[in-house]
Amino acid sequence: NAGVTQTPKFQVLKTGQSMTLQCAQDMNHEYMSWYRQDPGMGLRLIHYSVGAGITDQGEVPNGYNVSRSTTEDFPLRLLSAAPSQTSVYFCASSSTIDSIRDQPQHFGDGTRLSIL
Amino acid sequence: AQSVTQPDIHITVSEGASLELRCNYSYGATPYLFWYVQSPGQGLQLLLKYFSGDTLVQGIKGFEAEFKRSQSSFNLRKPSVHWSDAAEYFCAVGAPQGTYKYIFGTGTRLKVLA
Protein backbone atom coordinates (compact mmCIF):
# COMPACT_ATOMS: atom_id res chain seq x y z
CA ASN A 1 0.00 0.00 0.00
CA ALA A 2 1.85 3.07 -1.28
CA GLY A 3 -0.57 5.72 0.04
CA VAL A 4 -0.10 9.04 -1.78
CA THR A 5 2.66 9.14 -4.38
CA GLN A 6 3.98 12.38 -5.85
CA THR A 7 6.31 12.73 -8.79
CA PRO A 8 8.76 14.24 -9.41
CA LYS A 9 10.39 14.91 -6.03
CA PHE A 10 12.45 17.80 -7.37
CA GLN A 11 12.11 20.00 -10.45
CA VAL A 12 13.76 23.12 -11.77
CA LEU A 13 11.96 25.13 -14.42
CA LYS A 14 12.58 28.28 -16.35
CA THR A 15 10.09 31.14 -16.25
CA GLY A 16 7.34 30.54 -18.79
CA GLN A 17 7.70 26.79 -18.97
CA SER A 18 4.79 24.53 -18.20
CA MET A 19 4.77 21.28 -16.32
CA THR A 20 2.54 18.79 -14.55
CA LEU A 21 3.02 17.56 -11.02
CA GLN A 22 1.66 14.07 -10.63
CA CYS A 23 -0.27 12.73 -7.66
CA ALA A 24 -1.72 9.25 -7.27
CA GLN A 25 -3.36 7.49 -4.35
CA ASP A 26 -4.27 3.84 -3.96
CA MET A 27 -6.69 4.14 -1.03
CA ASN A 28 -9.83 4.75 -3.08
CA HIS A 29 -10.18 8.17 -1.46
CA GLU A 30 -12.77 10.52 -2.88
CA TYR A 31 -11.21 13.74 -1.65
CA MET A 32 -7.88 14.93 -3.02
CA SER A 33 -6.17 18.27 -2.69
CA TRP A 34 -3.08 20.25 -3.58
CA TYR A 35 -1.27 22.58 -1.20
CA ARG A 36 1.76 24.75 -1.49
CA GLN A 37 4.02 25.28 1.49
CA ASP A 38 6.06 28.45 1.84
CA PRO A 39 8.14 29.56 4.83
CA GLY A 40 6.04 31.22 7.51
CA MET A 41 2.80 30.69 5.61
CA GLY A 42 1.93 27.12 6.47
CA LEU A 43 -0.08 25.16 3.96
CA ARG A 44 -2.25 26.99 1.45
CA LEU A 45 -4.88 25.15 -0.53
CA ILE A 46 -4.55 25.46 -4.31
CA HIS A 47 -7.28 23.18 -5.67
CA TYR A 48 -9.27 20.26 -4.43
CA SER A 49 -11.53 17.53 -5.77
CA VAL A 50 -14.40 15.64 -4.14
CA GLY A 51 -14.53 12.94 -6.80
CA ALA A 52 -13.78 12.07 -10.39
CA GLY A 53 -14.85 14.90 -12.68
CA ILE A 54 -15.35 17.38 -9.81
CA THR A 55 -12.79 20.03 -8.91
CA ASP A 56 -12.88 23.38 -7.20
CA GLN A 57 -10.57 26.24 -6.28
CA GLY A 58 -8.82 26.73 -2.99
CA GLU A 59 -7.35 29.97 -1.69
CA VAL A 60 -4.45 30.35 -4.17
CA PRO A 61 -5.61 28.85 -7.51
CA ASN A 62 -4.19 31.40 -9.94
CA GLY A 63 -1.64 29.97 -12.33
CA TYR A 64 -2.63 26.37 -11.69
CA ASN A 65 -5.02 23.93 -13.32
CA VAL A 66 -6.26 20.56 -12.16
CA SER A 67 -8.35 17.72 -13.49
CA ARG A 68 -9.68 14.52 -11.98
CA SER A 69 -10.43 11.93 -14.63
CA THR A 70 -10.01 8.98 -12.26
CA THR A 71 -10.39 8.44 -8.53
CA GLU A 72 -6.69 7.63 -8.24
CA ASP A 73 -5.03 10.55 -10.01
CA PHE A 74 -5.09 14.29 -9.43
CA PRO A 75 -2.42 16.10 -11.48
CA LEU A 76 -1.55 19.76 -10.95
CA ARG A 77 -0.55 21.79 -14.00
CA LEU A 78 1.49 24.95 -14.02
CA LEU A 79 0.50 26.76 -17.17
CA SER A 80 3.34 29.30 -17.42
CA ALA A 81 5.75 29.02 -14.51
CA ALA A 82 6.66 32.15 -12.58
CA PRO A 83 9.31 32.64 -9.86
CA SER A 84 6.50 33.24 -7.35
CA GLN A 85 5.51 29.61 -7.83
CA THR A 86 8.77 28.39 -6.34
CA SER A 87 7.54 26.31 -3.45
CA VAL A 88 7.06 22.86 -2.03
CA TYR A 89 3.86 21.25 -3.29
CA PHE A 90 1.95 18.61 -1.38
CA CYS A 91 -0.84 16.39 -2.53
CA ALA A 92 -3.20 14.95 0.06
CA SER A 93 -6.21 12.69 0.11
CA SER A 94 -8.87 11.62 2.55
CA SER A 95 -11.80 9.27 2.51
CA THR A 96 -15.46 9.81 1.85
CA ILE A 97 -16.71 13.31 1.32
CA ASP A 98 -19.71 12.56 3.50
CA SER A 99 -17.47 12.66 6.55
CA ILE A 100 -14.67 14.89 5.41
CA ARG A 101 -14.69 16.96 8.59
CA ASP A 102 -13.51 14.11 10.75
CA GLN A 103 -11.16 12.48 8.31
CA PRO A 104 -7.44 13.14 8.51
CA GLN A 105 -5.57 13.77 5.34
CA HIS A 106 -2.86 11.51 3.98
CA PHE A 107 0.02 13.43 2.47
CA GLY A 108 2.58 12.65 -0.18
CA ASP A 109 6.24 13.47 0.37
CA GLY A 110 6.07 16.63 -1.70
CA THR A 111 7.55 18.08 -4.87
CA ARG A 112 10.19 20.75 -4.46
CA LEU A 113 9.85 23.14 -7.37
CA SER A 114 12.21 25.96 -8.28
CA ILE A 115 11.40 28.49 -10.99
CA LEU A 116 14.36 30.42 -12.35
CA ALA B 1 -14.23 33.24 9.58
CA GLN B 2 -12.66 30.06 10.82
CA SER B 3 -8.97 30.21 11.62
CA VAL B 4 -6.19 28.38 13.39
CA THR B 5 -3.39 30.19 15.19
CA GLN B 6 -0.09 28.75 16.29
CA PRO B 7 1.49 31.62 18.19
CA ASP B 8 4.99 30.15 18.41
CA ILE B 9 6.96 30.05 15.16
CA HIS B 10 10.01 28.43 16.76
CA ILE B 11 10.49 26.54 20.01
CA THR B 12 13.73 25.15 21.38
CA VAL B 13 13.81 22.60 24.19
CA SER B 14 16.47 20.37 25.67
CA GLU B 15 16.25 16.64 25.18
CA GLY B 16 14.32 15.12 28.07
CA ALA B 17 12.43 18.31 28.83
CA SER B 18 8.68 18.61 28.55
CA LEU B 19 7.02 20.22 25.56
CA GLU B 20 3.84 22.16 24.94
CA LEU B 21 2.91 23.55 21.54
CA ARG B 22 0.03 25.96 21.44
CA CYS B 23 -2.90 25.98 19.07
CA ASN B 24 -5.93 28.27 19.17
CA TYR B 25 -8.85 28.06 16.84
CA SER B 26 -11.77 30.20 15.84
CA TYR B 27 -14.74 28.09 14.86
CA GLY B 28 -18.46 28.45 15.27
CA ALA B 29 -19.41 24.85 15.94
CA THR B 30 -17.77 21.84 17.51
CA PRO B 31 -14.39 21.62 15.84
CA TYR B 32 -12.68 18.57 14.48
CA LEU B 33 -9.04 19.09 15.41
CA PHE B 34 -5.83 17.50 14.24
CA TRP B 35 -2.12 17.71 14.93
CA TYR B 36 0.34 16.76 12.20
CA VAL B 37 4.12 16.47 12.24
CA GLN B 38 6.42 17.13 9.32
CA SER B 39 9.96 15.81 9.46
CA PRO B 40 12.52 17.47 7.18
CA GLY B 41 11.96 16.55 3.55
CA GLN B 42 8.80 14.63 4.33
CA GLY B 43 5.09 15.06 4.05
CA LEU B 44 2.79 15.59 7.00
CA GLN B 45 1.95 12.69 9.28
CA LEU B 46 -1.05 12.58 11.58
CA LEU B 47 -0.15 12.62 15.29
CA LEU B 48 -3.63 12.68 16.80
CA LYS B 49 -7.17 13.91 16.34
CA TYR B 50 -10.09 15.10 18.45
CA PHE B 51 -13.73 14.83 17.51
CA SER B 52 -15.70 14.52 20.73
CA GLY B 53 -15.72 12.83 24.11
CA ASP B 54 -12.66 12.76 26.33
CA THR B 55 -10.89 16.09 25.98
CA LEU B 56 -7.46 14.54 26.48
CA VAL B 57 -6.46 12.53 23.44
CA GLN B 58 -3.46 10.31 23.00
CA GLY B 59 -1.50 10.07 19.80
CA ILE B 60 1.50 8.37 18.34
CA LYS B 61 5.11 8.86 19.45
CA GLY B 62 4.05 9.65 23.03
CA PHE B 63 2.20 12.86 22.20
CA GLU B 64 -1.09 13.97 23.71
CA ALA B 65 -3.33 16.99 23.29
CA GLU B 66 -6.01 18.58 25.40
CA PHE B 67 -9.11 20.23 24.00
CA LYS B 68 -10.30 23.20 26.04
CA ARG B 69 -13.49 24.65 24.66
CA SER B 70 -13.50 27.62 27.04
CA GLN B 71 -10.08 28.69 25.78
CA SER B 72 -10.57 27.61 22.16
CA SER B 73 -7.32 25.72 22.44
CA PHE B 74 -5.93 22.35 21.46
CA ASN B 75 -2.38 22.29 22.80
CA LEU B 76 0.02 19.47 22.04
CA ARG B 77 2.17 18.06 24.82
CA LYS B 78 4.90 15.53 25.41
CA PRO B 79 6.39 14.78 28.84
CA SER B 80 9.93 14.09 27.65
CA VAL B 81 11.22 15.19 24.27
CA HIS B 82 13.58 13.05 22.20
CA TRP B 83 16.04 14.40 19.65
CA SER B 84 14.02 12.68 16.92
CA ASP B 85 11.04 14.93 17.73
CA ALA B 86 12.75 17.86 16.00
CA ALA B 87 10.32 18.71 13.22
CA GLU B 88 7.59 21.13 12.27
CA TYR B 89 4.18 20.72 13.84
CA PHE B 90 0.89 21.81 12.36
CA CYS B 91 -2.48 22.20 14.01
CA ALA B 92 -5.55 21.93 11.76
CA VAL B 93 -9.32 22.15 11.85
CA GLY B 94 -11.32 19.71 9.77
CA ALA B 95 -13.26 21.17 6.91
CA PRO B 96 -16.05 23.34 8.34
CA GLN B 97 -19.61 22.27 7.62
CA GLY B 98 -20.55 23.02 4.05
CA THR B 99 -17.00 23.38 2.81
CA TYR B 100 -14.30 20.98 1.76
CA LYS B 101 -11.38 23.06 2.94
CA TYR B 102 -9.25 22.11 5.87
CA ILE B 103 -7.68 24.98 7.79
CA PHE B 104 -4.06 24.68 8.85
CA GLY B 105 -2.05 26.79 11.24
CA THR B 106 1.25 28.25 10.09
CA GLY B 107 3.26 25.68 12.00
CA THR B 108 5.73 25.58 14.90
CA ARG B 109 9.28 24.45 14.26
CA LEU B 110 10.74 22.47 17.14
CA LYS B 111 14.45 22.33 17.78
CA VAL B 112 15.81 19.85 20.31
CA LEU B 113 19.12 20.46 22.06
CA ALA B 114 21.25 17.48 23.00
Side-chain angles (χ1 to χ4, degrees), chain A residues 5-11 19-24 34 110-111:
Chain A
T5 302
Q6 290 185 238
T7 56
K9 294 189 183 302
F10 302 93
Q11 185 70 48
M19 81 160 294
T20 299
L21 308 185
Q22 301 292 344
C23 175
W34 277 102
T111 295

Side-chain angles (χ1 to χ4, degrees), chain A residues 31 33 35 37 40-43 45 48 50 56-59 88 90 94 97-110 112, chain B residues 27 29-30 32 34 36 38-46 49 51 88 90 93-102 104-107:
Chain A
Y31 182 90
S33 55
Y35 294 88
Q37 183 180 27
M41 304 191 76
L43 292 164
L45 182 65
Y48 65 94
V50 298
D56 206 346
Q57 296 180 350
E59 58 180 310
V88 181
F90 288 98
S94 65
I97 60 171
D98 288 342
S99 59
I100 193 174
R101 285 196 301 159
D102 59 353
Q103 295 301 315
Q105 296 196 73
H106 300 257
F107 285 83
D109 286 340
R112 284 144 187 84
Chain B
Y27 192 78
T30 301
Y32 293 72
F34 305 87
Y36 291 86
Q38 183 183 29
S39 298
Q42 303 293 317
L44 279 69
Q45 179 186 18
L46 180 70
K49 57 187 179 183
F51 299 150
E88 190 155 21
F90 291 92
V93 172
Q97 189 73 39
T99 78
Y100 296 102
K101 301 176 182 180
Y102 295 84
F104 285 87
T106 52

Side-chain angles (χ1 to χ4, degrees), chain A residues 25-78:
Chain A
Q25 52 91 10
D26 61 0
M27 298 171 283
N28 202 32
H29 283 171
E30 292 183 282
Y31 182 90
M32 296 186 74
S33 55
W34 277 102
Y35 294 88
R36 59 177 290 173
Q37 183 180 27
D38 302 290
M41 304 191 76
L43 292 164
R44 292 185 291 170
L45 182 65
I46 303 171
H47 286 285
Y48 65 94
S49 168
V50 298
I54 306 170
T55 64
D56 206 346
Q57 296 180 350
E59 58 180 310
V60 289
N62 292 341
Y64 307 95
N65 273 358
V66 292
S67 60
R68 184 96 178 269
S69 57
T70 67
T71 299
E72 295 79 19
D73 300 301
F74 190 45
L76 177 73
R77 297 181 184 85
L78 279 68

